[in-house]
Amino acid sequence: MAQVAAYKASGLKASVWAQANGVSIRDLSSWCAHAQRWQARLDGVEVAKPGPKVDGFVAARLPVASATTVRIELHAGSTRLELHWPVANARELAAWLREVGR
């Protein structure tokens, strides 16, 4: 804790301070990351524990389109593109198809 306080008081870059004091930059970074929690523990303050880590895939649920759409499927080699374009935007769809067709 004293070394973290000395580093912060020095105003130097971490790498410069670490080299000048014979400390690895990795150790100094770790100490700085944990210093606040260690000090709270020394002061007898309850430290909030982080929540559990969630592993795995969480599927996203998208709302069903309320407007009528046109399904467009394009194939270019092994690439497949599927679009659901709103019928209300038919003019934009026509312009996009002209660009793609060039």
Side-chain angles (χ1 to χ4, degrees), residues 31-51:
W31 296 340
C32 289
H34 298 289
Q36 187 176 9
R37 190 171 63 241
W38 290 339
Q39 187 61 53
R41 193 178 266 178
L42 289 172
D43 295 341
V45 177
E46 182 77 23
V47 179
K49 294 182 180 177

Side-chain angles (χ1 to χ4, degrees), residues 13-79:
K13 287 189 172 187
S15 58
V16 173
W17 189 91
Q19 186 176 18
N21 290 279
V23 176
S24 78
I25 185 68
R26 188 175 192 168
D27 286 343
L28 180 60
S29 296
S30 177
W31 296 340
C32 289
H34 298 289
Q36 187 176 9
R37 190 171 63 241
W38 290 339
Q39 187 61 53
R41 193 178 266 178
L42 289 172
D43 295 341
V45 177
E46 182 77 23
V47 179
K49 294 182 180 177
K53 290 186 178 180
V54 178
D55 291 335
F57 176 79
V58 178
R61 304 275 185 225
L62 298 176
V64 177
S66 59
T68 307
T69 60
V70 175
R71 184 175 151 269
I72 303 163
E73 190 172 314
L74 301 170
H75 294 271
S78 63
T79 303

